[in-house]
């Protein structure tokens, strides 16, 4: 794990190959991509990194928005001399990927955007406010179990107890400030003004049991993003873990 500037990251894979950036969900760390990175690094230089206050990246207060997170990533990419890249993001990572593709079209070759909402409604904004206040008052442990229960379906968790525990431990390692800052970025995100600006090819991935980012919200993105494909997986929110093989296969097929 390396750090530039104050951003922890893993950069691995085939030398001189195209760069592929993997972006995490809120309250996750690069290990959420372990299965994909192992396979994708055979054909790409794979960059995994952690948002402020996540993984081994230090927090910078408890305020952030999607532009803040874009600037954080661009600073890392510039220091690594990465100009053009392909982007795979899930949840907050997908929100960032769509925003980045719209605002920096000259840098993003293609985008996989999985398990995310294009904007929050009043009810979900209130839920985010409640989670932020719970963490502010009682620490990150206040949201670990509720988050993990939404991330993976109950059947998957029962059949894969080791993975379930690893996910809970990953969430619990997120700093309270890091969670609150990035949760505010999720709460305030609204892609509707810039969806049509995304010019690169996009693969949209939804989960049939995803309560955090319902598949019913994807038609808006399908009708707004000029060049897109759509895949529905039988999964809850963290589809790259619950449908590991299907997710990885779809990404490889799309990128080739």
């Amino acid at each position: 794990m390396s750090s530039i500037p104050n951003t922890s990251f893993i950069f691995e894979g085939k030398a001189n190959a195209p760069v592929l950036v993997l972006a995490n969900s809120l309250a996750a760390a690069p290990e959420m991509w372990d299965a994909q990175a192992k396979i994708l690094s055979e054909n790409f230089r794979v960059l995994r990194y952690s948002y402020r206050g996540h993984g081994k990246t230090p927090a910078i207060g408890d305020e952030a928005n999607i532009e803040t997170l874009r600037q954080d990533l661009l600073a890392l990419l510039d220091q690594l001399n990465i100009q053009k890249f392909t982007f795979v993001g899930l949840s907050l990572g997908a929100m960032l990927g769509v925003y980045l593709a719209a605002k920096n079209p000259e840098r993003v070759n293609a985008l996989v955007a999985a398990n995310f909402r294009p904007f929050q409604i009043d009810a979900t904004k209130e839920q985010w406010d409640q989670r932020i206040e719970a963490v502010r008052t009682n620490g990150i442990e206040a949201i670990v179990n509720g988050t993990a229960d939404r991330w993976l379906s109950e059947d998957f968790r029962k059949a894969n107890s080791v993975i379930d525990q690893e996910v809970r431990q990953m969430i619990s390692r997120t700093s309270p400030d890091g969670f609150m800052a990035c949760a505010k970025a999720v709460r305030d995100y609204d892609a509707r003004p810039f969806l049509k600006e995304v010019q690169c090819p996009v693969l949209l991935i939804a989960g049939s049991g995803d309560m955090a980012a319902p598949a019913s919200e994807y038609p808006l993105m399908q009708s707004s993003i000029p060049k897109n494909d759509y895949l529905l997986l039988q999964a809850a929110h963290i589809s790259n873990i619950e449908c590991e093989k299907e997710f990885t296969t779809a990404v490889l097929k799309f990128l080739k």
Side-chain angles (χ1 to χ4, degrees), residues 110-114 116 200-206 218 221-223 225-232 250-251 253-255:
L111 168 66
V112 178
F116 74 106
C200 68
V202 179
L203 173 60
L204 297 166
I205 299 178
Y218 277 68
M221 294 179 282
Q222 290 176 272
S223 63
I225 296 172
K227 293 179 284 189
N228 73 83
D229 295 319
Y230 173 73
L231 174 65
L232 180 65
V251 169
K253 181 180 178 182
F254 173 71
L255 297 183

Side-chain angles (χ1 to χ4, degrees), residues 18-125:
V19 173
L20 179 62
V21 178
L22 302 180
N24 311 326
S25 67
L26 170 65
E31 56 259 39
M32 74 169 276
W33 297 107
D34 280 351
Q36 283 76 37
K38 182 178 180 180
I39 293 172
L40 293 171
S41 61
E42 295 175 4
N43 296 295
F44 295 91
R45 284 280 283 164
V46 177
L47 176 64
R48 293 184 278 168
Y49 78 105
S50 291
Y51 310 122
R52 50 180 62 193
H54 288 61
K56 296 182 180 180
T57 301
I60 312 174
D62 64 2
E63 295 287 338
N65 56 38
I66 202 67
E67 174 62 19
T68 311
L69 301 183
R70 180 177 78 108
Q71 294 298 334
D72 288 349
L73 176 56
L74 289 176
L76 175 62
L77 294 168
D78 289 346
Q79 296 234 9
L80 293 172
N81 294 314
I82 298 168
Q83 289 303 310
K84 293 183 73 70
F85 53 90
T86 295
F87 193 97
V88 178
L90 189 146
S91 192
L92 173 55
M95 296 176 179
L96 177 58
V98 171
Y99 185 67
L100 195 65
K103 302 305 178 184
N104 297 95
E106 75 287 354
R107 300 188 72 165
V108 183
N109 294 318
L111 168 66
V112 178
N115 303 90
F116 74 106
R117 286 180 182 268
F119 65 97
Q120 304 294 330
I121 59 175
D122 289 344
T124 59
K125 286 182 179 180

Side-chain angles (χ1 to χ4, degrees), residues 188-234:
D188 299 337
Y189 183 82
D190 188 347
R192 289 172 292 184
F194 52 81
L195 282 173
K196 285 182 166 55
E197 298 174 27
V198 178
Q199 297 302 312
C200 68
V202 179
L203 173 60
L204 297 166
I205 299 178
S208 60
D210 190 349
M211 295 181 292
S216 60
E217 298 193 0
Y218 277 68
L220 168 65
M221 294 179 282
Q222 290 176 272
S223 63
S224 301
I225 296 172
K227 293 179 284 189
N228 73 83
D229 295 319
Y230 173 73
L231 174 65
L232 180 65
L233 294 175
Q234 302 303 305

